[in-house]
Coordinates of all heavy atoms in Angstrom, one line a residue:
M578 N 43.7 -70.2 -32.8 CA 43.6 -71.6 -32.8 C 42.7 -72.2 -33.9 O 42.9 -73.2 -34.4 CB 43.1 -72.0 -31.3 CG 43.2 -73.5 -31.1 SD 42.6 -74.0 -29.5 CE 43.8 -73.5 -28.4
G579 N 41.6 -71.4 -34.2 CA 40.6 -71.9 -35.2 C 39.7 -73.0 -34.7 O 39.6 -73.2 -33.5
F580 N 39.2 -73.7 -35.6 CA 38.2 -74.8 -35.3 C 39.0 -75.9 -34.6 O 40.0 -76.4 -35.1 CB 37.5 -75.2 -36.5 CG 36.3 -74.4 -36.9 CD1 36.5 -73.3 -37.8 CD2 35.0 -74.5 -36.3 CE1 35.4 -72.5 -38.1 CE2 34.0 -73.6 -36.6 CZ 34.2 -72.7 -37.5
V581 N 38.4 -76.4 -33.5 CA 38.9 -77.6 -32.8 C 37.8 -78.6 -32.7 O 36.6 -78.3 -32.4 CB 39.4 -77.1 -31.4 CG1 39.8 -78.3 -30.6 CG2 40.5 -76.1 -31.5
K582 N 38.1 -79.9 -32.9 CA 37.1 -81.0 -32.8 C 36.8 -81.1 -31.3 O 37.8 -81.3 -30.5 CB 37.6 -82.2 -33.3 CG 36.6 -83.3 -33.3 CD 37.0 -84.5 -34.1 CE 38.1 -85.3 -33.5 NZ 38.4 -86.6 -34.1
V583 N 35.5 -81.1 -30.9 CA 35.2 -81.1 -29.5 C 34.4 -82.4 -29.1 O 34.4 -82.8 -28.0 CB 34.5 -79.9 -29.0 CG1 35.4 -78.7 -29.1 CG2 33.2 -79.6 -29.8
A584 N 33.6 -83.0 -30.1 CA 32.8 -84.1 -29.8 C 32.4 -84.8 -31.0 O 32.4 -84.2 -32.1 CB 31.6 -83.6 -29.0
A585 N 31.9 -86.0 -30.9 CA 31.2 -86.7 -31.9 C 29.7 -86.2 -31.9 O 29.2 -86.1 -30.7 CB 31.4 -88.2 -31.8
L586 N 29.1 -86.0 -33.0 CA 27.7 -85.6 -33.0 C 26.8 -86.6 -32.2 O 25.9 -86.2 -31.6 CB 27.2 -85.3 -34.4 CG 25.8 -84.8 -34.6 CD1 25.7 -83.4 -33.9 CD2 25.4 -84.7 -36.0
K587 N 27.1 -87.8 -32.4 CA 26.3 -88.8 -31.7 C 26.3 -88.7 -30.2 O 25.4 -89.2 -29.5 CB 26.7 -90.3 -32.2 CG 28.0 -90.7 -31.6 CD 28.3 -92.1 -32.0 CE 29.7 -92.6 -31.7 NZ 30.2 -92.3 -30.3
D588 N 27.3 -88.1 -29.7 CA 27.5 -87.9 -28.2 C 26.8 -86.6 -27.7 O 26.8 -86.3 -26.5 CB 28.9 -87.9 -27.8 CG 29.7 -89.2 -28.1 OD1 29.0 -90.2 -28.0 OD2 30.9 -89.2 -28.3
V589 N 26.2 -85.9 -28.7 CA 25.4 -84.7 -28.3 C 24.1 -84.8 -29.0 O 23.7 -84.1 -29.9 CB 26.1 -83.4 -28.8 CG1 25.5 -82.2 -28.1 CG2 27.6 -83.4 -28.5
P590 N 23.2 -85.7 -28.5 CA 21.9 -85.9 -29.2 C 21.1 -84.7 -29.0 O 21.3 -83.9 -28.1 CB 21.4 -87.1 -28.5 CG 22.1 -87.4 -27.3 CD 23.4 -86.7 -27.4
E591 N 20.0 -84.6 -29.9 CA 19.1 -83.5 -29.9 C 18.6 -83.3 -28.5 O 18.2 -84.3 -27.8 CB 18.0 -83.8 -30.9 CG 17.4 -82.6 -31.5 CD 16.5 -82.9 -32.7 OE1 17.0 -83.6 -33.6 OE2 15.4 -82.4 -32.6
G592 N 18.6 -82.1 -28.0 CA 18.0 -81.7 -26.7 C 19.0 -81.9 -25.6 O 18.6 -81.9 -24.4
S593 N 20.2 -82.1 -25.9 CA 21.2 -82.4 -24.8 C 22.4 -81.4 -24.9 O 22.6 -80.7 -25.9 CB 21.7 -83.8 -24.8 OG 22.7 -84.0 -25.9
A594 N 23.2 -81.4 -23.9 CA 24.4 -80.6 -23.8 C 25.5 -81.4 -23.3 O 25.3 -82.4 -22.6 CB 24.2 -79.3 -23.0
V595 N 26.8 -81.0 -23.7 CA 28.0 -81.7 -23.1 C 29.0 -80.6 -22.7 O 29.0 -79.5 -23.2 CB 28.6 -82.7 -24.1 CG1 27.7 -83.9 -24.4 CG2 29.1 -82.0 -25.3
H596 N 29.7 -81.0 -21.7 CA 30.8 -80.1 -21.1 C 32.1 -80.7 -21.7 O 32.5 -81.8 -21.6 CB 30.8 -80.2 -19.7 CG 31.8 -79.5 -19.0 ND1 31.8 -78.1 -18.8 CD2 33.0 -79.9 -18.4 CE1 32.9 -77.7 -18.2 NE2 33.7 -78.8 -17.9
V597 N 32.9 -79.8 -22.4 CA 34.1 -80.2 -23.0 C 35.2 -79.4 -22.4 O 35.2 -78.1 -22.6 CB 34.1 -80.1 -24.5 CG1 35.4 -80.5 -25.1 CG2 33.0 -80.8 -25.2
E598 N 36.2 -80.0 -21.7 CA 37.3 -79.2 -21.2 C 38.4 -79.0 -22.2 O 38.7 -80.0 -22.9 CB 37.8 -79.9 -19.9 CG 36.7 -80.0 -18.8 CD 37.3 -80.2 -17.4 OE1 38.5 -80.5 -17.3 OE2 36.5 -80.1 -16.5
M599 N 38.9 -77.9 -22.2 CA 40.0 -77.5 -23.2 C 41.1 -76.7 -22.4 O 41.1 -75.5 -22.3 CB 39.5 -76.7 -24.3 CG 38.2 -77.3 -24.9 SD 37.6 -76.3 -26.2 CE 38.8 -76.6 -27.5
G600 N 42.0 -77.5 -21.8 CA 42.9 -76.9 -20.9 C 42.2 -76.3 -19.7 O 41.4 -76.9 -19.0
E601 N 42.5 -75.0 -19.5 CA 41.8 -74.3 -18.3 C 40.5 -73.8 -18.8 O 39.7 -73.3 -17.9 CB 42.7 -73.2 -17.8 CG 44.1 -73.7 -17.4 CD 44.7 -72.8 -16.4 OE1 44.3 -71.7 -16.2 OE2 45.7 -73.3 -15.8
A602 N 40.2 -73.8 -20.0 CA 38.8 -73.3 -20.5 C 37.9 -74.5 -20.7 O 38.3 -75.7 -20.5 CB 39.0 -72.6 -21.8
A603 N 36.6 -74.2 -20.9 CA 35.7 -75.3 -21.2 C 34.6 -74.7 -22.2 O 34.4 -73.5 -22.1 CB 35.1 -75.8 -19.9
V604 N 34.1 -75.6 -22.9 CA 33.0 -75.2 -23.8 C 31.7 -76.0 -23.5 O 31.8 -77.2 -23.2 CB 33.4 -75.5 -25.3 CG1 32.3 -75.2 -26.3 CG2 34.7 -74.6 -25.6
A605 N 30.6 -75.4 -23.5 CA 29.3 -76.1 -23.4 C 28.8 -76.2 -24.8 O 28.6 -75.2 -25.5 CB 28.3 -75.3 -22.5
V606 N 28.5 -77.4 -25.2 CA 28.0 -77.7 -26.6 C 26.6 -78.1 -26.5 O 26.3 -79.1 -25.7 CB 28.9 -78.8 -27.3 CG1 28.3 -79.1 -28.7 CG2 30.4 -78.3 -27.4
C607 N 25.7 -77.5 -27.2 CA 24.2 -77.8 -27.1 C 23.7 -78.2 -28.4 O 24.0 -77.5 -29.4 CB 23.5 -76.5 -26.6 SG 24.1 -75.7 -25.1
N608 N 22.9 -79.2 -28.4 CA 22.1 -79.5 -29.7 C 20.7 -79.2 -29.5 O 20.0 -79.8 -28.7 CB 22.3 -81.0 -29.9 CG 21.7 -81.5 -31.2 OD1 20.7 -80.8 -31.7 ND2 22.2 -82.6 -31.8
I609 N 20.3 -78.2 -30.2 CA 19.0 -77.6 -30.1 C 18.2 -77.8 -31.4 O 18.5 -77.2 -32.4 CB 19.0 -76.1 -29.8 CG1 19.8 -75.9 -28.5 CG2 17.6 -75.5 -29.7 CD1 20.2 -74.4 -28.2
G610 N 17.3 -78.8 -31.3 CA 16.5 -79.2 -32.5 C 17.4 -79.6 -33.7 O 17.0 -79.4 -34.9
G611 N 18.5 -80.2 -33.4 CA 19.4 -80.6 -34.5 C 20.5 -79.6 -34.9 O 21.3 -79.9 -35.7
A612 N 20.3 -78.4 -34.4 CA 21.4 -77.4 -34.7 C 22.3 -77.3 -33.5 O 21.8 -77.4 -32.3 CB 20.8 -76.0 -34.9
V613 N 23.6 -77.3 -33.7 CA 24.6 -77.3 -32.6 C 25.2 -76.0 -32.3 O 25.6 -75.2 -33.3 CB 25.7 -78.3 -32.9 CG1 26.7 -78.4 -31.7 CG2 25.1 -79.7 -33.3
Y614 N 25.2 -75.6 -31.1 CA 25.7 -74.3 -30.6 C 26.8 -74.5 -29.5 O 26.8 -75.5 -28.9 CB 24.6 -73.4 -30.0 CG 23.5 -73.2 -31.0 CD1 22.4 -74.0 -31.2 CD2 23.5 -72.0 -31.9 CE1 21.5 -73.7 -32.1 CE2 22.5 -71.7 -32.8 CZ 21.5 -72.6 -32.9 OH 20.5 -72.4 -33.9
A615 N 27.6 -73.5 -29.3 CA 28.6 -73.6 -28.3 C 28.8 -72.3 -27.7 O 28.8 -71.2 -28.3 CB 29.9 -74.1 -28.9
M616 N 29.1 -72.3 -26.3 CA 29.4 -71.1 -25.6 C 30.4 -71.5 -24.5 O 30.7 -72.7 -24.2 CB 28.1 -70.5 -25.0 CG 27.5 -71.3 -23.9 SD 26.1 -70.4 -23.3 CE 25.4 -71.6 -22.2
D617 N 31.0 -70.4 -23.9 CA 31.9 -70.6 -22.8 C 31.2 -71.5 -21.8 O 30.1 -71.2 -21.3 CB 32.3 -69.2 -22.2 CG 33.2 -69.3 -21.1 OD1 33.5 -70.4 -20.6 OD2 33.6 -68.2 -20.6
G618 N 31.9 -72.6 -21.4 CA 31.3 -73.6 -20.5 C 31.6 -73.4 -19.0 O 31.1 -74.2 -18.2
I619 N 32.2 -72.3 -18.7 CA 32.5 -72.0 -17.3 C 31.6 -71.0 -16.8 O 31.5 -69.8 -17.3 CB 34.0 -71.5 -17.0 CG1 35.0 -72.5 -17.7 CG2 34.2 -71.3 -15.6 CD1 35.1 -73.8 -17.0
C620 N 30.7 -71.3 -15.8 CA 29.7 -70.4 -15.3 C 30.4 -69.2 -14.6 O 31.4 -69.5 -13.8 CB 28.8 -71.1 -14.3 SG 27.5 -70.1 -13.7
P621 N 30.1 -68.0 -14.9 CA 30.7 -66.9 -14.3 C 30.4 -66.7 -12.7 O 31.0 -65.9 -12.1 CB 30.2 -65.7 -15.0 CG 28.9 -66.1 -15.6 CD 29.0 -67.6 -15.8
H622 N 29.4 -67.5 -12.2 CA 29.0 -67.3 -10.8 C 30.0 -67.9 -10.0 O 30.7 -67.3 -9.1 CB 27.6 -67.9 -10.6 CG 27.2 -67.9 -9.1 ND1 26.6 -69.0 -8.5 CD2 27.4 -67.0 -8.2 CE1 26.4 -68.6 -7.2 NE2 26.8 -67.4 -7.0
A623 N 30.3 -69.3 -10.1 CA 31.3 -69.9 -9.3 C 31.9 -71.1 -10.1 O 32.2 -72.1 -9.5 CB 30.6 -70.4 -8.0
A624 N 32.1 -70.8 -11.4 CA 32.9 -71.8 -12.2 C 32.2 -73.1 -12.4 O 32.9 -74.1 -12.6 CB 34.2 -71.9 -11.8
G625 N 30.8 -73.2 -12.3 CA 30.1 -74.4 -12.6 C 30.3 -74.9 -14.0 O 30.5 -74.0 -14.9
P626 N 30.3 -76.2 -14.3 CA 30.4 -76.7 -15.6 C 29.0 -76.6 -16.4 O 28.2 -77.5 -16.3 CB 30.9 -78.1 -15.4 CG 30.3 -78.5 -14.1 CD 30.2 -77.2 -13.3
L627 N 28.9 -75.6 -17.1 CA 27.5 -75.4 -17.8 C 27.1 -76.6 -18.6 O 25.9 -76.9 -18.6 CB 27.5 -74.1 -18.6 CG 27.7 -72.8 -17.8 CD1 27.7 -71.6 -18.7 CD2 26.5 -72.6 -16.8
G628 N 28.0 -77.2 -19.3 CA 27.7 -78.3 -20.2 C 27.1 -79.5 -19.4 O 26.6 -80.4 -20.0
H629 N 27.2 -79.5 -18.1 CA 26.7 -80.6 -17.3 C 25.3 -80.2 -16.8 O 24.6 -81.1 -16.1 CB 27.6 -80.9 -16.1 CG 28.8 -81.7 -16.5 ND1 29.9 -81.8 -15.6 CD2 29.2 -82.3 -17.6 CE1 30.8 -82.5 -16.2 NE2 30.4 -82.8 -17.4
G630 N 24.8 -79.1 -17.2 CA 23.5 -78.7 -16.8 C 22.4 -79.2 -17.7 O 22.6 -79.8 -18.6
A631 N 21.1 -78.9 -17.3 CA 19.9 -79.3 -18.0 C 19.7 -78.3 -19.1 O 19.7 -77.1 -18.9 CB 18.8 -79.5 -17.2
L632 N 19.4 -78.8 -20.3 CA 19.0 -77.9 -21.4 C 17.5 -77.9 -21.6 O 16.9 -79.0 -21.8 CB 19.7 -78.5 -22.7 CG 19.5 -77.7 -24.0 CD1 20.1 -76.3 -23.9 CD2 20.0 -78.4 -25.2
N633 N 16.9 -76.7 -21.4 CA 15.5 -76.6 -21.6 C 15.3 -75.6 -22.8 O 15.5 -74.4 -22.7 CB 14.9 -76.0 -20.3 CG 15.0 -76.8 -19.1 OD1 14.9 -78.1 -19.2 ND2 15.4 -76.2 -18.0
G634 N 14.9 -76.2 -23.9 CA 14.8 -75.4 -25.1 C 16.2 -74.9 -25.5 O 17.1 -75.7 -25.7
T635 N 16.3 -73.6 -25.5 CA 17.7 -73.0 -25.8 C 18.5 -72.7 -24.6 O 19.6 -72.2 -24.7 CB 17.6 -71.8 -26.7 OG1 16.9 -70.8 -26.0 CG2 16.8 -72.0 -28.0
V636 N 17.8 -72.9 -23.4 CA 18.4 -72.4 -22.2 C 19.1 -73.5 -21.4 O 18.5 -74.6 -21.2 CB 17.4 -71.8 -21.3 CG1 17.9 -71.3 -20.0 CG2 16.8 -70.5 -22.0
L637 N 20.4 -73.2 -21.1 CA 21.2 -74.2 -20.3 C 21.3 -73.8 -18.9 O 21.7 -72.6 -18.6 CB 22.6 -74.3 -21.0 CG 23.5 -75.4 -20.5 CD1 22.9 -76.8 -20.6 CD2 24.8 -75.4 -21.3
V638 N 20.9 -74.6 -18.0 CA 20.8 -74.3 -16.6 C 22.0 -74.8 -15.9 O 22.3 -76.0 -15.9 CB 19.6 -74.8 -15.9 CG1 19.5 -74.4 -14.5 CG2 18.3 -74.3 -16.7
C639 N 22.8 -73.9 -15.2 CA 24.0 -74.4 -14.4 C 23.6 -75.4 -13.4 O 22.8 -75.2 -12.6 CB 24.7 -73.1 -13.8 SG 26.2 -73.6 -12.9
P640 N 24.4 -76.5 -13.4 CA 24.1 -77.5 -12.4 C 24.4 -77.1 -10.9 O 24.0 -77.8 -10.0 CB 25.0 -78.7 -12.8 CG 26.1 -78.1 -13.5 CD 25.6 -76.8 -14.2
F641 N 25.2 -76.1 -10.7 CA 25.6 -75.7 -9.4 C 24.5 -74.9 -8.6 O 24.0 -75.3 -7.6 CB 26.9 -74.9 -9.4 CG 28.1 -75.8 -9.5 CD1 28.0 -77.2 -9.8 CD2 29.4 -75.3 -9.3 CE1 29.1 -78.0 -10.0 CE2 30.5 -76.1 -9.4 CZ 30.4 -77.4 -9.8
H642 N 24.1 -73.8 -9.2 CA 23.1 -72.9 -8.5 C 22.0 -72.4 -9.4 O 21.3 -71.5 -9.0 CB 23.9 -71.7 -7.9 CG 25.1 -72.1 -7.1 ND1 26.3 -71.9 -7.7 CD2 25.3 -72.6 -5.9 CE1 27.3 -72.3 -6.8 NE2 26.7 -72.8 -5.8
G643 N 21.9 -72.9 -10.6 CA 20.7 -72.7 -11.4 C 20.7 -71.4 -12.2 O 19.7 -71.1 -12.9
W644 N 21.8 -70.7 -12.4 CA 21.9 -69.6 -13.3 C 21.6 -70.2 -14.7 O 22.2 -71.3 -15.0 CB 23.2 -68.8 -13.3 CG 23.4 -68.0 -12.1 CD1 22.7 -68.1 -10.9 CD2 24.3 -67.0 -11.9 NE1 23.2 -67.1 -10.0 CE2 24.2 -66.4 -10.6 CE3 25.3 -66.4 -12.7 CZ2 24.9 -65.3 -10.1 CZ3 26.1 -65.3 -12.2 CH2 25.9 -64.8 -11.0
A645 N 20.9 -69.4 -15.6 CA 20.5 -70.0 -16.8 C 21.1 -69.1 -18.0 O 21.1 -67.9 -17.9 CB 19.0 -70.0 -16.9
F646 N 21.6 -69.7 -19.0 CA 22.2 -69.1 -20.1 C 21.6 -69.6 -21.4 O 21.5 -70.9 -21.6 CB 23.7 -69.3 -20.1 CG 24.4 -68.7 -18.9 CD1 24.5 -69.5 -17.7 CD2 24.9 -67.4 -18.9 CE1 25.0 -68.9 -16.6 CE2 25.5 -66.9 -17.8 CZ 25.6 -67.7 -16.6
D647 N 21.3 -68.7 -22.4 CA 20.9 -69.1 -23.7 C 22.0 -69.6 -24.4 O 23.0 -68.9 -24.7 CB 20.1 -68.0 -24.4 CG 19.5 -68.4 -25.6 OD1 20.1 -69.0 -26.5 OD2 18.2 -68.1 -25.7
C648 N 22.0 -70.9 -24.9 CA 23.1 -71.4 -25.6 C 23.3 -70.8 -27.0 O 24.4 -71.0 -27.6 CB 23.0 -72.9 -25.7 SG 24.6 -73.8 -25.8
V649 N 22.3 -70.2 -27.5 CA 22.4 -69.6 -28.8 C 23.0 -68.2 -28.7 O 24.0 -67.9 -29.5 CB 21.0 -69.5 -29.5 CG1 21.1 -68.8 -30.9 CG2 20.4 -70.9 -29.7
T650 N 22.6 -67.4 -27.8 CA 23.1 -66.0 -27.6 C 24.1 -65.8 -26.6 O 24.8 -64.8 -26.5 CB 21.9 -65.1 -27.3 OG1 21.4 -65.4 -26.0 CG2 20.8 -65.2 -28.4
G651 N 24.2 -66.8 -25.6 CA 25.1 -66.7 -24.5 C 24.5 -65.8 -23.3 O 25.1 -65.7 -22.2
E652 N 23.3 -65.2 -23.6 CA 22.8 -64.3 -22.6 C 22.1 -65.0 -21.5 O 21.6 -66.1 -21.5 CB 21.7 -63.4 -23.3 CG 22.3 -62.5 -24.3 CD 21.3 -61.6 -25.0 OE1 20.1 -61.8 -24.9 OE2 21.8 -60.7 -25.8
S653 N 22.2 -64.4 -20.2 CA 21.6 -64.9 -19.0 C 20.5 -64.0 -18.5 O 20.5 -62.8 -18.7 CB 22.7 -65.0 -18.0 OG 22.2 -65.5 -16.8
D654 N 19.5 -64.7 -17.9 CA 18.5 -63.9 -17.2 C 18.9 -63.6 -15.7 O 18.1 -63.0 -15.0 CB 17.2 -64.6 -17.3 CG 17.1 -66.0 -16.6 OD1 18.2 -66.4 -16.1 OD2 16.1 -66.6 -16.6
A655 N 20.1 -64.2 -15.3 CA 20.5 -64.0 -13.9 C 20.8 -62.5 -13.6 O 20.7 -62.0 -12.5 CB 21.6 -64.9 -13.6
D656 N 21.3 -61.8 -14.7 CA 21.8 -60.4 -14.5 C 21.8 -59.7 -15.7 O 22.2 -60.3 -16.8 CB 23.2 -60.5 -13.9 CG 23.6 -59.3 -13.1 OD1 22.8 -58.3 -13.1 OD2 24.6 -59.3 -12.5
D657 N 21.4 -58.4 -15.8 CA 21.4 -57.6 -17.0 C 22.8 -57.6 -17.5 O 23.8 -57.3 -16.8 CB 20.9 -56.3 -16.7 CG 19.4 -56.2 -16.8 OD1 18.7 -57.2 -17.2 OD2 18.8 -55.2 -16.4
G658 N 23.0 -57.9 -18.8 CA 24.3 -57.7 -19.4 C 25.2 -58.9 -19.2 O 26.3 -58.9 -19.8
L659 N 24.8 -59.9 -18.4 CA 25.6 -61.1 -18.2 C 25.5 -61.9 -19.4 O 24.4 -62.3 -19.9 CB 25.1 -61.8 -17.0 CG 26.0 -63.0 -16.6 CD1 27.4 -62.6 -16.2 CD2 25.4 -63.7 -15.4
K660 N 26.6 -62.3 -20.1 CA 26.6 -63.0 -21.3 C 27.9 -63.8 -21.5 O 29.0 -63.3 -21.3 CB 26.6 -61.9 -22.4 CG 26.3 -62.5 -23.8 CD 26.2 -61.3 -24.8 CE 25.8 -61.8 -26.2 NZ 26.8 -62.6 -26.8
Q661 N 27.7 -65.1 -21.8 CA 28.8 -65.9 -22.1 C 29.3 -65.7 -23.5 O 28.4 -65.4 -24.4 CB 28.3 -67.4 -21.9 CG 28.0 -67.8 -20.5 CD 29.2 -67.8 -19.6 OE1 29.5 -66.8 -19.0 NE2 29.9 -68.9 -19.4
T662 N 30.5 -65.9 -23.8 CA 31.0 -65.9 -25.1 C 30.5 -67.0 -25.9 O 30.4 -68.1 -25.4 CB 32.6 -65.9 -25.1 OG1 33.1 -64.8 -24.4 CG2 33.1 -65.9 -26.5
T663 N 30.0 -66.7 -27.1 CA 29.5 -67.9 -28.0 C 30.6 -68.1 -29.1 O 31.3 -67.2 -29.4 CB 28.2 -67.5 -28.6 OG1 28.2 -66.3 -29.3 CG2 27.1 -67.4 -27.5
Y664 N 30.6 -69.3 -29.6 CA 31.6 -69.7 -30.6 C 30.8 -70.2 -31.8 O 29.8 -70.9 -31.7 CB 32.5 -70.8 -30.0 CG 33.2 -70.4 -28.7 CD1 32.9 -71.0 -27.6 CD2 34.2 -69.4 -28.7 CE1 33.5 -70.6 -26.3 CE2 34.8 -69.0 -27.6 CZ 34.5 -69.7 -26.4 OH 35.1 -69.3 -25.2
A665 N 31.5 -70.1 -33.0 CA 31.0 -70.7 -34.2 C 31.2 -72.1 -34.1 O 32.2 -72.6 -33.5 CB 31.8 -70.1 -35.4
V666 N 30.2 -72.9 -34.7 CA 30.3 -74.3 -34.7 C 30.1 -74.8 -36.1 O 29.3 -74.2 -36.9 CB 29.1 -74.9 -33.8 CG1 29.0 -76.4 -34.0 CG2 29.2 -74.5 -32.4
K667 N 30.8 -75.9 -36.5 CA 30.5 -76.6 -37.7 C 30.4 -78.1 -37.4 O 31.1 -78.6 -36.5 CB 31.5 -76.3 -38.8 CG 32.9 -76.7 -38.5 CD 33.9 -76.3 -39.7 CE 35.3 -76.8 -39.4 NZ 36.2 -76.4 -40.5
V668 N 29.6 -78.7 -38.2 CA 29.5 -80.2 -38.0 C 29.9 -80.8 -39.4 O 29.3 -80.5 -40.4 CB 28.0 -80.6 -37.7 CG1 27.9 -82.2 -37.6 CG2 27.6 -80.0 -36.3
E669 N 30.9 -81.7 -39.3 CA 31.4 -82.3 -40.5 C 31.6 -83.8 -40.2 O 32.3 -84.1 -39.2 CB 32.7 -81.6 -40.9 CG 32.5 -80.3 -41.6 CD 33.9 -79.7 -42.0 OE1 34.9 -80.3 -41.8 OE2 33.8 -78.6 -42.6
N670 N 31.1 -84.6 -41.1 CA 31.4 -86.1 -41.0 C 31.1 -86.6 -39.6 O 31.9 -87.4 -39.1 CB 32.8 -86.4 -41.4 CG 33.1 -85.9 -42.9 OD1 32.3 -86.1 -43.7 ND2 34.3 -85.4 -43.0
G671 N 30.0 -86.1 -39.0 CA 29.6 -86.6 -37.7 C 30.5 -86.1 -36.6 O 30.4 -86.6 -35.5
E672 N 31.2 -85.1 -36.9 CA 32.1 -84.5 -35.8 C 31.7 -83.0 -35.6 O 31.4 -82.3 -36.5 CB 33.6 -84.6 -36.2 CG 34.0 -86.0 -36.2 CD 35.5 -86.1 -36.8 OE1 35.9 -85.2 -37.5 OE2 36.2 -87.1 -36.5
V673 N 31.7 -82.6 -34.3 CA 31.5 -81.2 -34.0 C 32.7 -80.4 -33.8 O 33.6 -80.9 -33.0 CB 30.6 -81.1 -32.7 CG1 30.3 -79.7 -32.3 CG2 29.4 -82.0 -32.8
W674 N 32.9 -79.3 -34.5 CA 34.0 -78.5 -34.4 C 33.6 -77.1 -33.9 O 32.6 -76.6 -34.3 CB 34.7 -78.3 -35.8 CG 35.2 -79.6 -36.4 CD1 34.5 -80.7 -36.9 CD2 36.6 -80.0 -36.5 NE1 35.3 -81.6 -37.3 CE2 36.7 -81.3 -37.1 CE3 37.8 -79.4 -36.2 CZ2 37.8 -81.9 -37.3 CZ3 39.0 -80.0 -36.4 CH2 39.0 -81.3 -37.0
V675 N 34.4 -76.5 -33.0 CA 34.1 -75.2 -32.4 C 35.3 -74.3 -32.7 O 36.5 -74.7 -32.5 CB 33.9 -75.4 -30.9 CG1 33.7 -74.0 -30.3 CG2 32.6 -76.2 -30.6
D676 N 35.0 -73.1 -33.1 CA 36.0 -72.1 -33.3 C 36.3 -71.3 -32.1 O 35.5 -70.4 -31.7 CB 35.6 -71.1 -34.5 CG 36.7 -70.2 -34.8 OD1 37.7 -70.2 -34.2 OD2 36.5 -69.4 -35.7
V677 N 37.3 -71.7 -31.4 CA 37.6 -71.1 -30.1 C 38.7 -70.0 -30.2 O 39.3 -69.6 -29.2 CB 38.0 -72.1 -29.0 CG1 36.8 -73.0 -28.6 CG2 39.2 -73.0 -29.5
A678 N 39.0 -69.5 -31.4 CA 40.0 -68.5 -31.6 C 39.7 -67.3 -30.8 O 38.6 -66.9 -30.6 CB 40.1 -68.2 -33.1
Ligands
LIG1364 S1 28.3 -71.8 -10.5 FE1 26.8 -71.6 -12.0 S2 25.0 -70.8 -10.8 FE2 26.6 -70.9 -9.4

């Protein structure tokens, strides 16, 4: 599929995250200090929308039961080896694109 436009950069201000649905999948897009990252937005615990969670530094906390995932690495402290898929991101002309291939 390649890069897909997921949001306007102005809608993902620094220190925030957004949840973007893409068919049955979803992406959590995080703006960390002006750098934008993306990972699988469906929580592996009970399918919570990670992008609706609170972003603390690089860590995005699931709004359902609090499992936490690093938006840069996808890694979680909830369980050893638990890791969300991360995606390449590019920002062009004020738009955020994610490579969900
Ligand atoms: S659904 Fe994310 S912690 Fe339960």
